[in-house]
Amino acid sequence: MGMDTTMIIGIVLLVALVIAAVVAAVLVDRSHKRRATGERNDSSSRIGPAKPAGQQPEAAATAAPGASSAAIGQSQSDEVRPSQADRSDLASAASGPAAMSAPAGHVMETPESAGSRITRLKAKLSKSSNPFGRVLFNILAKDHLSETDWEDVEDTLLLADVGADASAKLVDELRNDARVTGTSDPVQVRDALRAKLLDLVGVDTDRRLNADKPDDAESASLQPSVIIMVGVNGTGKTTTAGKLARLFVAEGKKVVMGAADTFRAAAADQLETWGAKVGVNVVRSDKDGADPASVAFDAAQQAKDANADVLIIDTAGRLQNKANLMNELGKIRRVAEKVLPVDEVLLVLDATTGQNGMAQAKVFAEAIGITGVVLSKLDGSAKGGIVIAVQKELGVPVKLVGLGEGPDDLAPFDAPAFVDGILA
């Protein structure tokens, strides 16, 4: 009996030892699994290259173009705050047109060169439904012109919006030209008419934009050339600003645009659409109705920081009254010039309005002092004589002309191409 009790106790101890061993093995196995899982988690958190010290966080990297360097710096943590040199690079990237990336899936466009546009200018004018030059030639090519014929010549010039004084002058000169009077040789008549039209248009006039003029040794500067666009709403002013940016991009220039037409809500959106297609940054206000002068100031500062070649500032075209217009445009110019000098003020006129737009043109000329004229919608118009009239009335040259609705339908005005086009 004593023997049986001893055996039972031994068996119980043995079973207890086996159970303890099994439990210990299970616990050890679970410990190994937890350690392995932790190592995998640590490994997965280190996948990909580590961010270098000083690199901006994602929020700053994806900031909208035009954000200031101060705004970028505030979004960074103390551990990754960049050095002064890094902040300069960030400011340039944020404000420069190179930082403007196309929307996802958008293909950047290559604008047409200026030379190709001038060739198209001549071709489009020659295809116009009623170019006044051709009408004049058909009258003058007659033998022995009558008084009625000369009246038709003057009427044609007036209908083409050449202007009364210029029309009278041209008729007098043609009357006294031996190539026109008497038995007429069509070739000589055309040569005479061409020469006199070129004289009226101004073949030797300097029509270069100031941004395209080479700096002389004394005034050479790396700062951007500033252009302010003015004109009443409906003339194609904002569209012309976008097309002008494309023309500069085609010349290899770095461009920034400022949306200072804060009165019209769609104006800034229009500029951004134009700019996005060719990688041009647009500086705009976050809210409608903001002070346009403050937008001009910010645009000038960002263009300067980005070392841009050209800054184009679009302005409001409303004409509530002359005093308000002068005050607003004058303030925009003064504030922009706190940062950069304004080199050019371009007045955009609708060629189809002809003489009707001259009164408005004079108001803008007095308000801000214009340096050149852009004639939009010149193609297909019988009112091409407005080129002569506007230069005579305002005392500044026509520098650019709009040829149509296409994105590259803006060309430098070329007097010989213009005259040849309307005589073709």
Side-chain angles (χ1 to χ4, degrees):
M1 184 69 179
M3 192 69 171
D4 290 341
T5 301
T6 302
M7 288 182 63
I8 290 170
I9 293 172
I11 291 171
V12 170
L13 290 173
L14 180 60
V15 170
L17 288 173
V18 171
I19 291 173
V22 170
V23 171
V26 171
L27 291 175
V28 170
D29 182 62
R30 288 182 178 179
S31 177
H32 283 312
K33 287 182 179 180
R34 283 196 298 269
R35 187 179 299 113
T37 301
E39 289 175 353
R40 282 196 301 272
N41 290 338
D42 290 343
S43 176
S44 65
S45 68
R46 292 191 298 268
I47 291 176
K51 290 186 178 180
Q55 183 178 13
Q56 65 270 30
E58 183 177 354
T62 57
S68 66
S69 58
I72 294 175
Q74 290 172 357
S75 67
Q76 297 171 337
S77 65
D78 292 337
E79 290 77 14
V80 294
R81 189 174 299 280
S83 65
Q84 182 63 38
D86 289 336
R87 284 197 294 271
S88 298
D89 291 339
L90 285 172
S92 176
S95 62
M100 184 72 172
S101 59
H106 183 77
V107 178
M108 298 293 284
E109 298 177 3
T110 302
E112 183 180 355
S113 67
S116 174
R117 296 178 191 218
I118 293 173
T119 301
R120 286 199 300 115
L121 163 65
K122 182 177 177 180
K124 283 202 170 189
L125 288 172
S126 67
K127 294 176 181 178
S128 173
S129 59
N130 188 25
F132 73 96
R134 187 187 308 161
V135 177
L136 288 176
F137 173 73
N138 290 337
I139 298 171
L140 296 173
K142 297 178 181 179
D143 290 339
H144 305 292
L145 295 174
S146 66
E147 282 302 315
T148 301
D149 292 327
W150 286 114
E151 289 175 3
D152 289 342
V153 169
E154 188 164 8
D155 289 345
T156 299
L157 292 170
L158 292 172
L159 288 172
D161 278 326
V162 172
D165 292 342
S167 297
K169 177 184 177 182
L170 180 57
V171 169
D172 287 342
E173 291 181 354
L174 290 170
R175 275 180 175 270
N176 296 320
D177 195 311
R179 292 172 294 181
V180 176
T181 58
T183 303
S184 301
D185 178 349
V187 175
Q188 291 186 354
V189 170
R190 187 183 187 282
D191 289 344
L193 182 56
R194 182 180 187 276
K196 296 186 186 306
L197 286 173
L198 281 173
D199 183 57
L200 279 177
V201 173
V203 68
D204 296 325
T205 303
D206 185 1
R207 303 178 188 279
R208 294 175 300 170
L209 293 169
N210 291 329
D212 290 329
K213 294 179 181 178
D215 292 323
D216 55 45
E218 295 181 358
S219 63
S221 174
L222 297 178
Q223 61 188 10
S225 179
V226 179
I227 300 174
I228 297 180
M229 308 293 291
V230 300
V232 297
N233 289 333
T235 59
K237 175 177 50 60
T238 300
T239 296
T240 299
K243 291 182 178 182
L244 181 56
R246 291 178 65 94
L247 184 58
F248 282 126
V249 169
E251 296 171 355
K253 289 183 169 63
K254 188 176 183 180
V255 184
V256 173
M257 290 193 285
D261 183 356
T262 57
F263 180 77
R264 190 166 61 92
D269 294 336
Q270 275 184 271
L271 279 188
E272 285 195 328
T273 299
W274 282 102
K277 293 179 180 179
V278 287
V280 169
N281 187 23
V282 174
V283 180
R284 61 179 296 176
S285 173
D286 293 334
K287 58 182 180 180
D288 294 334
D291 181 10
S294 68
V295 177
F297 179 86
D298 291 343
Q301 188 63 60
Q302 293 191 30
K304 184 177 181 179
D305 292 344
N307 294 321
D309 297 303
V310 183
L311 168 63
I312 302 171
I313 301 175
D314 185 32
T315 63
R318 64 193 187 281
L319 272 173
Q320 323 94 311
N321 60 62
K322 183 177 176 180
N324 286 352
L325 175 71
M326 293 181 72
N327 290 339
E328 182 173 295
L329 292 180
K331 182 180 178 183
I332 288 174
R333 180 164 190 163
R334 289 193 307 274
V335 171
E337 287 186 329
K338 292 180 183 295
V339 182
L340 293 169
V342 173
D343 301 300
E344 191 104 55
V345 179
L346 294 178
L347 172 66
V348 181
L349 284 179
D350 183 340
T352 62
T353 63
Q355 291 289 336
N356 293 330
M358 291 302 299
Q360 297 171 343
K362 290 178 182 178
V363 172
F364 279 97
E366 294 171 6
I368 194 170
I370 61 175
T371 60
V373 174
V374 183
L375 281 175
S376 63
K377 309 174 189 178
L378 182 64
D379 62 306
S381 173
K383 297 183 178 292
I386 192 64
V387 171
I388 298 168
V390 73
Q391 293 182 150
K392 182 176 178 60
E393 291 291 329
L394 301 180
V396 296
V398 172
K399 294 192 173 185
L400 298 159
V401 290
L403 310 176
E405 300 300 324
D408 292 325
D409 284 344
L410 181 73
F413 181 75
D414 181 88
F418 171 73
V419 171
D420 289 342
I422 63 175
L423 284 173

